[in-house]
Amino acid sequence: MSEQHLEDRVLAIWATRRAQILYWLLRGLIRVVGRFYLRTRMVGAERLRIDGAFIIAPVHRSNLDGPLVNSRCPRKVRSLAKIEMFKGRVGTWISAMIGSFPVHRGAGDRRSLQAAIGLLRRGEPLLVFPEGTRHSGRQVGEIYGGAAFLSARTGVPILPVGIAGTEEAMPPKAKFLRRIPVSIVIGEPLLPPSIESGRLSSNQRSEFTVRLREAMQSAMDEAVDLASTRRSRRRRWNKRDD
């Protein structure tokens, strides 16, 4: 399957009624699991209800991150995902059905960015992991400039997101979901710099990326602190029961 053929197939699958129905059913199931099994608490959920396009930029600690955040957004959310998720017909269909769009590495990445720009200009929310891959701990890793580039080219805000608990609930290669409470913080929208040419200079992009990383770190610190408070409160309740 050629790369271009893959992109066309992903878009075609996403447009089918079957994929749309399964998308909403799966999101509903994830929301139920998140609420009642993982006891997910989200701060700033109202920021996911803004009109028009926006970019959701979460930290990346687990494969749970994207689904849990998306399940709380009242609108359909597309997400950029590594091309390895689109292996074979079944993998391609499942990834397309959940709203993922393949990101190509190297020279092909420009094509993926152009497709993402098209989605945002049509008013669709888009989830992008600025860290690129999963990291560990509360410290936000080095982030790439893709989210800043997309925001600047389309003029849409970025929502920085901190997530605590998913790393423990579903670590890499885990076969079962552990019942660890999850805390999510949606930060204040980050607006791109005003530019007349429609393009950021390399310095402007670097500065905007630094601002995004700082906003993600602030949201992550708040999420970790919230998780710690919830654990301490739960320990106190357990002691009372004893």
Side-chain angles (χ1 to χ4, degrees), residues 1 9 13 32 43 49 58 78 85 121 130 171 185 191 199 204 217-218:
M1 184 183 297
R9 181 167 174 74
I13 292 171
V32 169
V43 175
R49 304 189 187 103
R78 304 296 300 274
M85 289 181 59
R121 285 179 173 167
V185 173
L191 296 175
R199 295 179 181 273
Q204 287 175 317
Q217 185 65 65
S218 178

Side-chain angles (χ1 to χ4, degrees), residues 169-180:
M170 191 176 182
K173 299 181 180 180
K175 295 182 178 180
F176 301 100
L177 186 62
R178 299 173 59 193
R179 197 177 189 192
I180 303 295

Side-chain angles (χ1 to χ4, degrees), residues 168-210:
E168 295 81 4
M170 191 176 182
K173 299 181 180 180
K175 295 182 178 180
F176 301 100
L177 186 62
R178 299 173 59 193
R179 197 177 189 192
I180 303 295
V182 173
S183 300
I184 302 175
V185 173
I186 311 294
E188 292 280 355
L190 188 65
L191 296 175
S194 178
I195 48 178
E196 297 181 358
S197 64
R199 295 179 181 273
L200 288 179
S201 67
S202 58
N203 287 338
Q204 287 175 317
R205 186 186 300 182
S206 296
E207 292 173 359
F208 190 31
T209 300
V210 169

Side-chain angles (χ1 to χ4, degrees), residues 48-55 75 120 122-126 156-157:
L48 294 172
R49 304 189 187 103
I50 60 177
D51 295 328
F54 54 89
I55 297 171
R75 298 163 58 194
L120 291 168
R122 289 199 295 270
E124 298 187 42
L126 181 68
V156 305

Side-chain angles (χ1 to χ4, degrees), residues 72-187:
R72 299 294 296 271
C73 185
R75 298 163 58 194
K76 291 183 292 187
V77 178
R78 304 296 300 274
S79 58
L80 298 186
K82 58 185 180 182
I83 197 171
E84 288 79 7
M85 289 181 59
F86 298 82
K87 288 184 177 179
R89 289 183 177 275
V90 175
T92 297
W93 202 95
I94 293 174
S95 296
M97 181 270 293
I98 63 177
S100 298
F101 195 84
V103 172
H104 302 268
R105 303 300 180 185
D109 192 55
R110 180 180 297 275
R111 187 164 59 249
S112 299
L113 289 174
Q114 291 302 319
I117 289 172
L119 295 173
L120 291 168
R121 285 179 173 167
R122 289 199 295 270
E124 298 187 42
L126 181 68
L127 186 143
V128 180
F129 287 111
E131 290 175 298
T133 188
R134 286 179 303 223
H135 287 65
S136 181
R138 72 182 292 164
Q139 194 67 25
V140 176
E142 180 182 358
I143 68 174
Y144 295 93
F149 170 81
L150 292 172
S151 175
R153 287 296 299 271
T154 59
V156 305
I158 303 178
L159 297 179
V161 181
I163 307 173
T166 55
E167 184 177 359
E168 295 81 4
M170 191 176 182
K173 299 181 180 180
K175 295 182 178 180
F176 301 100
L177 186 62
R178 299 173 59 193
R179 197 177 189 192
I180 303 295
V182 173
S183 300
I184 302 175
V185 173
I186 311 294

